[in-house]
């Protein structure tokens, strides 16, 4: 039973991503996949959706979009200073990536 639920979720994710790409829309593949899993859970009789997890996903979406916009704006302002601003952007990005990697360990 679980195998079919996974297959439906993957099929709906694929269809959504392909249709969106064909129409030229930007989307988050993570959000599409999460929505497909939740939708598959809602659409099947006897299936369960862990609403606490779904709520955490929604909060993550609400935080991610504005945060990425703010960071992109700050990086653009810094890059507008000139070549040293671009170099500083790269250094800060590498430091952030390393910090996230080390934190995950």
């Amino acid at each position: 039973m679980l195998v079919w639920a996974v297959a439906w979720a993957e099929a709906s994710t694929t269809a959504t991503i392909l249709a969106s790409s064909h129409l030229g829309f930007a989307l988050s593949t993570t959000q599409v996949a999460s929505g497909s899993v939740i939708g598959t859970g809602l659409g099947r009789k006897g299936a369960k959706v862990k609403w606490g997890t779904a709520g955490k996903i929604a909060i993550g979406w609400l935080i991610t979009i504005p945060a990425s916009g703010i960071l992109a704006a700050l990086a653009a302002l810094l890059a507008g200073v000139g070549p040293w601003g671009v170099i500083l952007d790269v250094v800060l990005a590498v430091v952030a990536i390393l910090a996230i990697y080390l934190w995950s360990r």
Side-chain angles (χ1 to χ4, degrees):
M1 228 19 158
L2 180 63
V3 172
W4 285 107
V6 170
W8 278 111
E10 288 179 357
S12 61
T13 298
T14 302
T16 303
I17 291 170
L18 289 175
S20 177
S21 297
H22 177 71
L23 296 171
F25 296 136
L27 55 78
S28 166
T29 55
T30 304
Q31 291 176 343
V32 172
S34 300
S36 296
V37 170
I38 292 169
T40 300
L42 288 173
R44 298 190 51 86
K45 211 174 223 180
K48 296 178 182 175
V49 173
K50 293 184 178 180
W51 289 109
T53 303
K56 289 177 184 177
I57 291 169
I59 290 170
W61 292 345
L62 292 173
I63 292 171
T64 301
I65 294 170
S68 62
I70 291 167
L71 286 175
L74 292 173
L77 286 172
L78 190 57
V81 171
W84 287 108
V86 174
I87 292 169
L88 187 55
D89 268 344
V90 171
V91 170
L92 290 173
V94 169
V95 168
I97 291 167
L98 285 173
I100 291 168
Y101 173 75
L102 293 173
W103 186 32
S104 73
R105 297 282 162 204

